[in-house]
Amino acid sequence: MIERRPMIAGNWKMYTDIFESVNLVKAVSAGLRGDEEVDVLVAPPFTNLSVAKPFAENARILLAAQNMHWEESGAFTGEISGPMLRAAGCTHVILGHSERRHIFRETDEDVNRKAQAAARSGLIPIVCIGETLEEREAGKTFAVIERQLAGSLSAFLVGGDLPAGTILAYEPVWAIGTGRTATPAQAQDVHQAIRSWLTERFGGAVSGRTRVLYGGSVKPDNITDLMSEPDIDGVLVGGASLKAESFLGIVHYRK
Ligand code: 13P
């Protein structure tokens, strides 16, 4: 019984234009064998979603956006809404990525509003959390994670349930794009704390079904050890998802 089917997700950030996105989806799709027993997801930039969709769909690759606005429509120049993402073929949306939090000053409350809006639009949120190096060194990792969880999921806490399929991603800021991965034990410690928090707040059933991904310098040569930890249910990959070969090396971590 696989209660939490592993997910290997690629966050393409602000890389890949339309042509590169299509080529990358095609190359990943060509390398899938069909027996992976993992969910494969990619998150291209907004402009490339609808063009990438048919290629992704054929290969049963899930499609996510990297961000969204909390309103469904309106005078919000430059923003993209949940219904627009659904129409473009997305099933998932990444929310509260550390780059959104740190560069664009997104708060837990913003992420909370977006997560609610995602659920209303029928999109599955992938809610990102993670501490900075300074916070880790000050011994504040768990406090920061709890604060981010409570703030980013506050509307769901009030309702007492997480929308079906909701995914969390633990991405320590110091491990993103630095080549410095959390050790499997460091990641497991935090994933276990997240799992306990979910159990306390939402009960065992929700906690047991909620996938918690790890992100931060995941590569083909460290994926196997990360995935051997009991509370790591998949990964959110940045740099190594931009080349089909390395992404497939991660997808095929069981060999
Ligand atoms: P890297 O894999 O490049 O460290 O990026 C991780 C990330 O931010 C995924 O969302």
Side-chain angles (χ1 to χ4, degrees):
M1 180 199 67
I2 302 181
E3 202 179 346
R4 300 189 300 267
R5 185 175 156 92
M7 172 174 275
I8 307 295
N11 173 9
W12 295 357
K13 307 192 178 184
M14 200 174 74
Y15 297 104
T16 71
D17 63 19
I18 287 187
F19 304 103
E20 291 160 338
S21 285
V22 167
N23 286 338
L24 189 49
V25 175
K26 280 187 182 167
V28 170
S29 139
L32 292 175
R33 304 185 296 232
D35 63 351
E36 278 81 10
E37 294 184 358
V38 299
D39 286 340
V40 179
L41 174 147
V42 297
F46 287 136
T47 50
N48 313 347
L49 290 166
S50 56
V51 187
K53 176 65 180 176
F55 300 98
E57 197 161 38
N58 282 343
R60 280 189 255 155
I61 297 172
L62 300 164
L63 198 63
Q66 301 172 15
N67 181 30
M68 61 177 271
H69 193 261
W70 52 77
E71 295 290 346
E72 294 193 353
S73 64
F76 300 102
T77 301
E79 294 293 329
I80 303 283
S81 74
M84 292 172 187
L85 296 178
R86 285 282 287 165
C90 290
T91 50
H92 293 67
V93 58
I94 298 172
L95 298 176
H97 188 277
S98 80
E99 287 146 19
R100 304 263 2 134
R101 291 175 183 270
H102 295 282
I103 304 170
F104 302 103
R105 301 270 171 257
E106 266 187 29
T107 63
D108 289 332
E109 178 49 24
D110 294 335
V111 180
N112 176 49
R113 293 163 87 175
K114 292 181 181 196
Q116 276 179 280
R120 271 200 309 273
S121 307
L123 288 165
I124 295 177
I126 303 175
V127 176
C128 301
I129 51 177
E131 83 287 4
T132 63
L133 185 59
E134 200 183 4
E135 289 163 341
R136 172 163 283 263
E137 286 175 346
K140 293 185 184 153
T141 299
F142 295 110
V144 169
I145 297 296
E146 285 199 6
R147 190 193 69 221
Q148 291 177 335
L149 285 170
S152 306
L153 303 175
S154 64
F156 301 140
L157 280 168
V158 172
D161 199 9
L162 272 186
T166 298
I167 295 167
L168 301 178
Y170 169 56
E171 300 206 315
V173 178
W174 46 273
I176 296 177
T178 59
R180 182 176 168 191
T181 329
T183 64
Q186 281 174 323
Q188 167 59 23
D189 268 358
V190 177
H191 282 235
Q192 190 177 37
I194 295 170
R195 186 91 53 212
S196 306
W197 185 89
L198 286 170
T199 308
E200 248 170 58
R201 303 303 175 102
F202 294 106
V206 169
S207 163
R209 71 166 196 240
T210 301
R211 288 182 285 194
V212 185
L213 313 183
Y214 167 78
S217 298
V218 176
K219 304 276 180 308
D221 63 6
N222 57 27
I223 179 70
T224 312
D225 288 344
L226 287 163
M227 290 304 289
S228 67
E229 297 292 344
D231 290 300
I232 299 181
D233 307 313
V235 286
L236 185 51
V237 187
S241 72
L242 293 170
K243 293 264 182 300
E245 193 189 355
S246 47
F247 189 58
L248 286 162
I250 295 170
V251 169
H252 293 140
Y253 69 93
R254 291 197 184 95
K255 303 299 172 215

